[in-house]
Coordinates of all heavy atoms in Angstrom, one line a residue:
A1 N -24.4 136.7 121.9 CA -25.7 136.6 121.2 C -25.7 135.2 120.6 O -24.7 134.6 120.2 CB -25.8 137.6 120.1
W2 N -26.9 134.6 120.5 CA -27.1 133.3 119.9 C -27.5 133.4 118.4 O -28.5 134.2 118.1 CB -28.2 132.5 120.6 CG -27.8 132.2 122.0 CD1 -28.1 132.9 123.1 CD2 -27.1 131.0 122.5 NE1 -27.6 132.3 124.3 CE2 -27.0 131.1 123.9 CE3 -26.6 129.9 121.8 CZ2 -26.4 130.1 124.6 CZ3 -26.0 128.9 122.6 CH2 -25.9 129.0 124.0
R3 N -26.8 132.7 117.5 CA -27.2 132.8 116.1 C -27.3 131.4 115.6 O -26.6 130.4 116.0 CB -26.1 133.6 115.3 CG -24.8 132.9 115.2 CD -23.9 133.8 114.3 NE -22.6 133.1 114.0 CZ -22.3 132.3 113.0 NH1 -23.3 132.0 112.2 NH2 -21.1 131.7 112.9
Q4 N -28.2 131.2 114.6 CA -28.4 129.9 114.0 C -27.2 129.5 113.1 O -26.7 130.3 112.3 CB -29.7 129.9 113.2 CG -30.1 128.5 112.7 CD -31.4 128.6 111.9 OE1 -31.5 129.2 110.8 NE2 -32.5 128.0 112.5
I5 N -26.9 128.2 113.2 CA -25.8 127.7 112.3 C -26.4 126.4 111.6 O -27.5 126.0 111.9 CB -24.5 127.4 113.0 CG1 -24.8 126.4 114.2 CG2 -23.9 128.7 113.6 CD1 -23.5 126.0 114.9
A6 N -25.6 125.9 110.7 CA -26.0 124.8 109.8 C -26.4 123.5 110.6 O -26.0 123.3 111.8 CB -24.9 124.5 108.8
T7 N -27.1 122.6 109.9 CA -27.4 121.3 110.6 C -26.3 120.4 110.7 O -26.2 119.5 111.6 CB -28.6 120.6 109.8 OG1 -28.1 120.4 108.4 CG2 -29.8 121.5 109.7
K8 N -25.3 120.5 109.8 CA -24.1 119.7 109.8 C -22.9 120.6 109.7 O -22.9 121.5 108.8 CB -24.1 118.7 108.7 CG -25.4 117.8 108.6 CD -25.5 117.1 107.3 CE -26.8 116.4 107.2 NZ -27.9 117.3 107.1
F9 N -21.9 120.5 110.5 CA -20.8 121.4 110.5 C -19.6 120.9 111.2 O -19.7 120.0 112.0 CB -21.2 122.8 111.1 CG -21.5 122.7 112.6 CD1 -20.6 122.7 113.6 CD2 -22.9 122.7 113.0 CE1 -20.9 122.6 114.9 CE2 -23.2 122.6 114.3 CZ -22.2 122.5 115.3
T10 N -18.4 121.5 110.9 CA -17.2 121.3 111.6 C -16.6 122.7 111.8 O -16.4 123.4 110.8 CB -16.2 120.4 110.8 OG1 -16.7 119.1 110.6 CG2 -14.9 120.3 111.6
R11 N -16.3 123.1 113.0 CA -15.9 124.4 113.3 C -15.0 124.4 114.6 O -15.1 123.5 115.4 CB -17.0 125.4 113.4 CG -18.0 125.1 114.5 CD -19.1 126.2 114.7 NE -18.4 127.4 115.0 CZ -18.6 128.5 114.3 NH1 -19.4 128.5 113.3 NH2 -17.9 129.6 114.7
S12 N -14.3 125.5 114.8 CA -13.6 125.6 116.1 C -14.5 126.1 117.2 O -15.6 126.7 116.9 CB -12.5 126.7 115.9 OG -13.0 128.0 115.5
L13 N -14.1 125.8 118.4 CA -14.9 126.1 119.6 C -13.9 126.8 120.5 O -12.9 126.2 120.9 CB -15.6 124.9 120.2 CG -16.8 125.1 121.1 CD1 -17.9 125.8 120.4 CD2 -17.2 123.7 121.6
A14 N -14.3 128.0 121.0 CA -13.4 128.8 121.9 C -13.7 128.5 123.3 O -14.9 128.1 123.6 CB -13.5 130.3 121.6
S15 N -12.8 128.8 124.2 CA -13.1 128.7 125.6 C -14.3 129.5 126.1 O -14.4 130.7 125.7 CB -11.8 129.1 126.4 OG -12.0 128.9 127.8
G16 N -15.2 128.9 126.8 CA -16.4 129.6 127.3 C -17.5 129.7 126.3 O -18.6 130.3 126.6
Q17 N -17.3 129.2 125.1 CA -18.4 129.4 124.1 C -19.5 128.3 124.3 O -19.2 127.2 124.7 CB -17.8 129.2 122.7 CG -18.7 129.7 121.5 CD -17.9 129.8 120.2 OE1 -16.8 129.2 120.0 NE2 -18.4 130.7 119.3
G18 N -20.7 128.7 124.1 CA -21.9 127.9 124.3 C -22.5 127.4 123.0 O -22.4 128.1 121.9
F19 N -23.1 126.3 123.0 CA -23.9 125.7 121.9 C -25.2 125.1 122.4 O -25.2 124.5 123.4 CB -23.0 124.6 121.2 CG -23.8 123.9 120.1 CD1 -24.0 124.5 118.9 CD2 -24.2 122.6 120.4 CE1 -24.7 123.8 117.9 CE2 -24.9 121.9 119.4 CZ -25.2 122.5 118.2
R20 N -26.2 125.3 121.6 CA -27.6 124.8 122.0 C -28.1 124.0 120.8 O -28.2 124.5 119.7 CB -28.5 125.9 122.3 CG -29.9 125.5 122.8 CD -30.8 126.7 123.0 NE -30.2 127.6 124.0 CZ -30.5 128.9 124.1 NH1 -31.5 129.4 123.3 NH2 -30.0 129.7 125.0
H21 N -28.5 122.8 121.0 CA -29.1 121.9 120.0 C -30.5 121.5 120.4 O -30.7 121.1 121.6 CB -28.3 120.7 119.7 CG -28.9 119.7 118.8 ND1 -29.2 120.0 117.5 CD2 -29.5 118.5 119.0 CE1 -29.8 119.0 116.9 NE2 -30.0 118.0 117.8
R22 N -31.4 121.6 119.5 CA -32.8 121.1 119.7 C -33.1 120.1 118.6 O -33.0 120.3 117.4 CB -33.8 122.3 119.6 CG -35.2 121.8 119.8 CD -36.2 123.0 119.7 NE -36.1 123.8 120.9 CZ -36.9 124.9 121.1 NH1 -37.9 125.2 120.3 NH2 -36.7 125.7 122.2
T23 N -33.4 118.9 119.0 CA -33.8 117.9 118.1 C -35.2 118.2 117.5 O -35.9 119.1 118.0 CB -33.9 116.5 118.7 OG1 -35.0 116.5 119.6 CG2 -32.6 116.1 119.5
A24 N -35.6 117.5 116.4 CA -37.0 117.6 115.9 C -37.9 116.8 116.9 O -37.5 115.9 117.6 CB -37.0 117.1 114.5
G25 N -39.2 117.2 116.8 CA -40.2 116.5 117.5 C -40.8 115.4 116.6 O -40.8 115.5 115.4
G26 N -41.4 114.4 117.2 CA -42.0 113.3 116.4 C -43.3 113.7 115.8 O -44.0 114.6 116.3
G27 N -43.6 113.1 114.7 CA -44.9 113.4 114.0 C -46.0 112.7 114.8 O -45.9 111.7 115.5
G28 N -47.2 113.3 114.6 CA -48.4 112.8 115.2 C -49.1 111.8 114.3 O -48.9 111.7 113.1
Y29 N -50.0 111.0 114.9 CA -50.8 110.1 114.2 C -52.3 110.3 114.5 O -52.7 110.3 115.6 CB -50.4 108.6 114.7 CG -51.0 107.5 113.8 CD1 -50.3 106.9 112.8 CD2 -52.4 107.1 114.0 CE1 -50.9 105.9 112.0 CE2 -53.0 106.1 113.2 CZ -52.2 105.5 112.2 OH -52.8 104.6 111.4
G30 N -53.0 110.4 113.4 CA -54.5 110.6 113.5 C -54.9 112.1 113.7 O -54.0 112.9 114.0
D31 N -56.1 112.4 113.5 CA -56.7 113.7 113.6 C -56.5 114.3 115.0 O -57.0 113.7 115.9 CB -58.1 113.7 113.2 CG -58.8 115.0 113.0 OD1 -58.2 116.0 113.5 OD2 -59.9 115.1 112.4
P32 N -55.8 115.4 115.1 CA -55.7 116.0 116.5 C -57.1 116.4 117.1 O -57.2 116.4 118.4 CB -54.9 117.3 116.2 CG -54.2 117.1 114.9 CD -55.1 116.2 114.1
L33 N -58.1 116.7 116.3 CA -59.4 117.0 116.9 C -60.1 115.8 117.4 O -61.2 115.9 118.0 CB -60.2 117.7 115.8 CG -59.7 119.0 115.3 CD1 -60.7 119.7 114.4 CD2 -59.3 120.0 116.5
E34 N -59.5 114.6 117.2 CA -60.1 113.4 117.8 C -59.4 112.9 119.0 O -59.7 111.9 119.6 CB -60.0 112.2 116.7 CG -60.8 112.5 115.5 CD -62.3 112.6 115.7 OE1 -62.8 111.9 116.6 OE2 -63.0 113.5 115.1
R35 N -58.4 113.7 119.5 CA -57.6 113.3 120.6 C -58.5 113.4 121.9 O -59.3 114.4 122.0 CB -56.4 114.2 120.8 CG -55.5 113.8 122.0 CD -54.1 114.4 121.9 NE -53.2 114.2 123.0 CZ -52.5 113.1 123.2 NH1 -52.7 112.1 122.4 NH2 -51.7 113.0 124.3
D36 N -58.3 112.5 122.8 CA -59.1 112.5 124.0 C -58.8 113.8 124.8 O -57.6 114.1 125.0 CB -58.7 111.2 124.8 CG -59.5 111.1 126.1 OD1 -60.4 111.9 126.4 OD2 -59.2 110.1 126.9
V37 N -59.8 114.5 125.2 CA -59.6 115.7 125.9 C -58.9 115.5 127.2 O -58.1 116.4 127.7 CB -60.9 116.5 126.2 CG1 -61.6 116.9 124.8 CG2 -61.9 115.7 127.0
A38 N -59.1 114.3 127.8 CA -58.3 114.1 129.1 C -56.8 113.9 128.8 O -56.0 114.3 129.7 CB -58.9 112.8 129.7
A39 N -56.5 113.4 127.7 CA -55.1 113.2 127.3 C -54.5 114.7 127.1 O -53.3 114.9 127.5 CB -54.9 112.4 126.1
V40 N -55.2 115.5 126.5 CA -54.7 116.9 126.3 C -54.6 117.6 127.6 O -53.5 118.3 127.9 CB -55.7 117.7 125.4 CG1 -55.2 119.1 125.2 CG2 -55.8 117.0 124.0
L41 N -55.5 117.5 128.5 CA -55.4 118.0 129.8 C -54.2 117.5 130.6 O -53.4 118.2 131.2 CB -56.6 117.7 130.7 CG -56.7 118.2 132.1 CD1 -56.5 119.7 132.2 CD2 -57.9 117.8 132.9
F42 N -53.9 116.2 130.5 CA -52.8 115.6 131.1 C -51.5 116.2 130.5 O -50.6 116.5 131.3 CB -52.8 114.1 130.8 CG -51.6 113.4 131.4 CD1 -51.6 112.9 132.8 CD2 -50.5 113.1 130.7 CE1 -50.5 112.3 133.3 CE2 -49.4 112.4 131.2 CZ -49.4 112.0 132.5
D43 N -51.4 116.4 129.2 CA -50.2 117.0 128.6 C -50.0 118.4 129.1 O -48.9 118.8 129.3 CB -50.3 116.9 127.1 CG -50.0 115.6 126.5 OD1 -49.5 114.7 127.3 OD2 -50.3 115.3 125.3
V44 N -51.1 119.2 129.2 CA -51.0 120.6 129.6 C -50.5 120.6 131.1 O -49.6 121.4 131.4 CB -52.3 121.3 129.5 CG1 -52.3 122.7 130.1 CG2 -52.7 121.5 128.0
R45 N -51.0 119.8 131.9 CA -50.6 119.8 133.3 C -49.2 119.4 133.5 O -48.5 119.8 134.5 CB -51.5 118.9 134.1 CG -53.0 119.3 134.2 CD -53.8 118.5 135.2 NE -53.4 118.7 136.6 CZ -53.9 118.2 137.6 NH1 -55.0 117.4 137.5 NH2 -53.4 118.3 138.8
N46 N -48.7 118.6 132.5 CA -47.3 118.1 132.7 C -46.3 118.9 131.8 O -45.1 118.6 131.7 CB -47.2 116.6 132.3 CG -47.7 115.7 133.3 OD1 -47.0 115.4 134.3 ND2 -49.0 115.3 133.2
G47 N -46.8 120.1 131.3 CA -45.9 121.0 130.5 C -45.5 120.5 129.1 O -44.6 121.1 128.5

């Protein structure tokens, strides 16, 4: 099972053990409702 752990740590790691890290996403600039709809469509099409 996957469980959340601290942002900063030192710990042992066993053979076969997995770790997953996700960075933060960058902040946006300007009102999202003013974003060009074509840019939103481009982002959706590209996942």
Side-chain angles (χ1 to χ4, degrees):
W2 293 91
R3 69 177 184 87
Q4 188 180 67
I5 57 176
T7 59
K8 305 167 187 69
F9 61 81
T10 301
R11 60 171 302 124
S12 60
L13 201 60
S15 179
Q17 196 164 21
F19 172 75
R20 183 186 303 161
H21 172 67
R22 178 179 293 186
T23 69
Y29 187 100
D31 187 345
L33 298 185
E34 298 298 323
R35 184 165 176 78
D36 184 0
V37 296
V40 178
L41 176 61
F42 179 85
D43 282 347
V44 170
R45 294 189 65 178
N46 284 277

